[in-house]
Amino acid sequence: MLKAYPIKDLQAGMVVGRPVYDESTTETLLGKGTVLTAELISLLAERTVFTVYVEEFDGISTMPRSMLSEEIVAAIEKVNQNKSIRQNVREGSENILDNEYVAAYEHVYNILEHVYGRLRTIADIDVRAVQEVVDSKEMGILMDSSLAISQLHNMDRDGDYLLHHCIHVGILAGLMGKWINWAPKLQKKLLLSGLLIDVGKLRMSQMILEKSGPLTAMERNVIKRHAALGYEMLRYGVLREEYDVLNGVLQHHERNDGSGYPEGLKREQISDFGKVLAIIDMYDAMASNRSYARRKSPFAILRVIADDVNNKKLDTMYGVIFIKNMGSSMTGSWVRLTDGSKAKIVFLDDNRLDSMPIVQREDG
C-alpha cells in the first residue's frame, strides 16, 4: 500500500514507493524501493519535490527495524531527536504555527517596516535593506514550499495590511520563480518586484484604502492609480534600470484581454513579471481579510484563478504552473472544513485546474 507524504513529514527508514522526480527538471532523484535517510530527505528538500509516495508495512510507514541496517537505524534516531527542534507539532490535527517560520517572518516584517516607513515620507527606497531581505536566510526559510502556503494562511496579520500583502506576494513570487525554473538572478528580481508591488498605495489616503463600504467611481479611479504611482516612485531611483522589477510593479493589474489597468495592455504587451504578479497579487488579496471582504479558502481562490485562466484574462502557462504547484504544496496540510471539523489534505488531482482536494478527517 502507498501513502503520499509531503517532504516535511518524511522520516528516515521510509521506503520510496514510486520514483521521485524533480518537478522543474523531470530528473529522476530516487528510485522505487530506496530507503530514506536524513541526508536524502535534506537533498529532496532542496529540490522541486512536493510529495513522495511511501510504502506502508501493515499500516506502518517505516520498515521494521529488523530489516534495516545499523546506519539507517542511527539515521532514524537522529531524525527523531531533532524532530522537536525542527518543527513544533507536525503530527496531530491542530494548525500549529512553526516557530522558526514565524520568527523569520517577523524579522523580514521589521526590516520592511523601516523601508516602507521611509517611503511614506520621501520617495527614496533603502535598496540595501531590501536586497539584504531578498538574500537573507530568513527569506530562504519563508520560501519553503512545504510550509509557506499553510503558514501564510494560518498566521495572523496584525499590523500593516499593506506590508503583510507585499511580503506575502514577495514570498509567493520567490516560489513561483522556482516553479517556472527561471535563472536564480531572475528569481530574485521577481521576489524584489513582489515585495514592492503596492508601494504606490503609500501615497494614497488611508480613508479610501480602509473604507469598509462600496467605493465610489471616483475612489475606484484613485485606487487604480497605485500601480502607476508606485512605478513613478521607483523609476528615478537606484532601480531605474531594473526594467523587469519596474514593469512588475506597473503591470500587475493588467489582464491579457485588455480589461486591466493602468494602460489596458493586452497579452503580448504585458511583461512576464506583470503576468506572474497579476496571478499572485490576486491570490493573496482574496486570501486576506480586507475592510470590504472576508478571506476565501485557498481552493476557492484557485477556482477563481482557473476561471480567469480559462477566460483568457490571466496567462495560461503561468496560471497552470501556479495552480498545480500551490495544490501540491498544500498536500499534507491540516485544514478546517466548512462544518467546523478538521481534516488533512491527502490528495489533489493536478490534471484538473478546478479540482478539490481529497481529505481525511480525524475519525479516519
Side-chain angles (χ1 to χ4, degrees):
M1 181 179 174
L2 299 181
K3 184 176 179 180
Y5 283 82
I7 299 298
K8 62 184 176 61
D9 288 341
L10 293 176
Q11 298 180 38
M14 288 180 170
V15 179
V16 175
R18 290 184 188 173
V20 180
Y21 302 96
D22 187 305
E23 297 286 344
S24 62
T25 65
T26 69
E27 174 190 358
T28 302
L29 302 177
L30 297 176
K32 179 180 177 180
T34 302
V35 180
L36 294 176
T37 64
E39 289 72 21
L40 287 177
I41 294 170
S42 295
L43 289 173
L44 290 177
E46 295 173 0
R47 304 297 290 268
T48 313
V49 178
F50 304 108
T51 302
V52 174
Y53 282 87
V54 170
E55 292 277 6
E56 297 263 300
F57 299 89
D58 295 325
I60 301 173
S61 58
T62 54
M63 292 178 66
R65 294 211 169 194
S66 60
M67 299 171 62
L68 300 176
S69 68
E70 292 182 3
E71 178 184 4
I72 299 297
V73 171
I76 293 171
E77 291 175 349
K78 181 179 179 182
V79 169
N80 288 337
Q81 289 171 359
N82 291 336
K83 192 171 184 181
S84 62
I85 300 174
R86 288 180 53 247
Q87 59 199 40
N88 286 337
V89 180
R90 305 285 194 188
E91 309 298 333
S93 59
E94 294 296 332
N95 287 328
I96 303 296
L97 290 176
D98 184 279
N99 284 340
E100 184 182 29
Y101 197 95
V102 172
Y105 188 93
E106 291 175 349
H107 175 83
V108 169
Y109 183 95
N110 290 335
I111 293 176
L112 290 181
E113 189 174 34
H114 153 74
V115 172
Y116 270 54
R118 179 187 176 101
L119 279 170
R120 288 183 193 277
T121 55
I122 56 175
D124 180 26
I125 183 171
D126 188 344
V127 174
R128 179 189 295 180
V130 178
Q131 196 60 55
E132 285 179 358
V133 167
V134 170
D135 295 330
S136 68
K137 66 177 182 180
E138 285 81 9
M139 185 55 71
I141 293 170
L142 297 182
M143 286 166 49
D144 178 350
S145 60
S146 65
L147 273 176
I149 313 308
S150 63
Q151 295 296 298
L152 293 182
H153 272 275
N154 288 337
M155 283 194 299
D156 293 328
R157 295 199 184 195
D158 296 331
D160 190 332
Y161 164 80
L162 175 61
L163 188 50
H164 282 297
H165 176 62
C166 290
I167 294 174
H168 287 203
V169 172
I171 293 169
L172 294 174
L175 287 173
M176 189 64 172
K178 291 182 178 180
W179 296 338
I180 302 170
N181 201 28
W182 278 351
K185 186 174 182 180
L186 206 56
Q187 292 179 28
K188 289 186 176 183
K189 287 186 178 183
L190 181 63
L191 196 167
L192 176 60
S193 191
L195 291 174
L196 299 173
I197 193 168
D198 275 349
V199 293
K201 290 183 178 179
L202 295 173
R203 293 288 190 270
M204 294 187 165
S205 165
Q206 289 298 112
M207 289 182 63
I208 294 178
L209 293 176
E210 298 175 0
K211 184 177 179 180
S212 57
L215 296 175
T216 66
M218 184 184 71
E219 289 169 338
R220 283 196 297 272
N221 287 332
V222 170
I223 293 291
K224 286 183 177 181
R225 292 178 50 212
H226 78 271
L229 190 55
Y231 174 78
E232 291 298 324
M233 289 171 64
L234 300 173
R235 68 181 294 203
Y236 298 111
V238 293
L239 295 176
R240 58 185 173 275
E241 295 183 2
E242 295 291 348
Y243 303 111
D244 288 330
V245 175
L246 294 174
N247 281 333
V249 172
L250 177 64
Q251 298 173 356
H252 68 276
H253 282 289
E254 300 287 0
R255 296 295 182 263
N256 280 2
D257 63 355
S259 63
Y261 62 86
E263 298 178 309
L265 302 179
K266 292 192 174 182
R267 182 191 313 274
E268 65 279 359
Q269 299 170 308
I270 306 172
S271 69
D272 286 331
F273 273 42
K275 292 175 181 177
V276 170
L277 291 176
I279 297 167
I280 296 171
D281 177 73
M282 182 177 175
Y283 179 90
D284 189 67
M286 287 190 287
S288 313
N289 283 324
R290 292 162 287 170
S291 57
Y292 55 89
R294 298 292 297 172
R295 68 178 183 173
K296 299 179 182 294
S297 79
F299 291 98
I301 301 168
L302 293 180
R303 286 201 301 276
V304 174
I305 292 175
D307 286 342
D308 277 2
V309 168
N310 290 328
N311 292 326
K312 311 300 182 185
K313 294 173 72 71
L314 296 173
D315 184 83
T316 301
M317 180 181 73
Y318 294 138
V320 170
I321 291 173
F322 182 77
I323 292 169
K324 287 193 172 186
N325 282 280
M326 288 290 285
S328 297
S329 298
M330 284 184 274
T331 301
S333 298
W334 283 92
V335 295
R336 188 173 295 280
L337 306 182
T338 52
D339 65 359
S341 64
K342 289 170 285 192
K344 189 174 186 179
I345 298 173
V346 294
F347 177 75
L348 182 71
D349 183 0
D350 62 7
N351 291 316
R352 292 178 51 202
L353 292 184
D354 60 348
S355 64
M356 290 292 285
I358 295 175
V359 300
Q360 183 177 28
R361 299 200 314 184
E362 289 180 294
D363 59 8

